[in-house]
Amino acid sequence: MIPVNESSELFDQMLTITTEWLFELENELLLQPLLKELTLNYPCPAVLDVGSGNGAYLSLLSCYYPQLYCVGLEKDPLIFHYAQQKEKAPGLRFLPIAYESYESDKVYDLIIVRLAALHLANREHFAQWLRRRTRPGSAIVIIDVDDSCIDPNGATALPLFHSLYLEARRKLSVSTLMRFQDVLSIELTYAGFRRDRLETYRIEGRTRSMKQSMRAYMELVTLMYGHNPYEPERMKEWDDWMADPFSHYTIGMFGLVLLV
């Protein structure tokens, strides 16, 4: 069993790596078009990040768009500690609470739910909560792993890590015949939101630099789930993958945009 503090440190590093991978792409694909539209009506749009983790993603968004008023909610006090350290811009705040405990009457122009939707205990309750936190013209962006996009190359290129990754995702996944993004779309449409678009995209470990970053992430995931990443067979698997110019690894993602 990994000590709690060490587990939080590993999670912090994992969140930082995924932010480095994805922020620019998701900004271009999902956030920038929405913020461009929002700023036509509101000079200082208000952004709420539900499940903001270590704050890496929201703090980067705040740097890119200093006119935004950004609030992040993170219920895990140990992870919140890392977010709080990033409160450097005047328009950036993090609160150590779950969304259910957020009692402010403030409404938001953009709500981001990134890598948190699968952890919601009651999505119907969350949908109604979103209604109270938004207004006509507001947008919601839900970003998560696309479990329907499984890299067939993974089992061949990285069998030990791939089996661990699939097992970790199975523990999180909702048992359904539909893709999670489609379930969310139906549920939130029923709750009164309008689906704007669904974008799918991928993280690909093909270049040397991306493979190095992915390897660091894989080592953290392996350690997080109670395995020794420095076991000879795991080290050899990663070394062989790094050395093979034809081997790669892909993780699918989706971004669901809904409007009020």
Side-chain angles (χ1 to χ4, degrees), residues 153-165:
N153 177 66
T156 302
L158 295 163
L160 291 173
F161 175 77
H162 190 63
S163 61
L164 175 66
Y165 176 78

Side-chain angles (χ1 to χ4, degrees), residues 65-118:
Y65 304 98
Q67 75 275 24
L68 299 179
Y69 172 75
C70 298
V71 175
L73 307 181
E74 176 50 54
K75 67 180 181 179
D76 186 325
L78 295 175
I79 298 301
F80 170 77
H81 165 74
Y82 295 99
Q84 193 174 33
Q85 295 175 352
K86 298 179 177 67
E87 278 190 348
K88 297 177 181 179
L92 176 63
R93 296 180 61 213
F94 293 99
L95 301 175
I97 55 175
Y99 83 86
E100 297 96 331
S101 303
Y102 185 51
E103 297 179 352
S104 170
D105 293 329
K106 184 173 180 59
V107 295
Y108 288 85
D109 305 300
L110 173 62
I111 295 181
I112 300 171
V113 186
R114 182 176 180 269
L115 303 177
L118 278 168

Side-chain angles (χ1 to χ4, degrees), residues 34-53:
L34 290 171
L35 290 170
K36 183 178 181 180
E37 184 71 22
L38 285 170
T39 51
L40 293 177
N41 299 316
Y42 306 103
C44 302
V47 179
L48 181 66
D49 186 3
V50 179
S52 55

Side-chain angles (χ1 to χ4, degrees), residues 1-14 78-79 82 220 223-224 227 229-230:
M1 181 71 68
I2 300 174
V4 172
N5 287 344
E6 183 179 340
S7 176
S8 300
E9 185 175 339
L10 294 174
F11 193 51
D12 170 56
Q13 294 177 48
M14 289 164 60
L78 295 175
I79 298 301
Y82 295 99
L220 291 169
L223 191 56
M224 176 72 81
H227 299 275
Y230 307 112

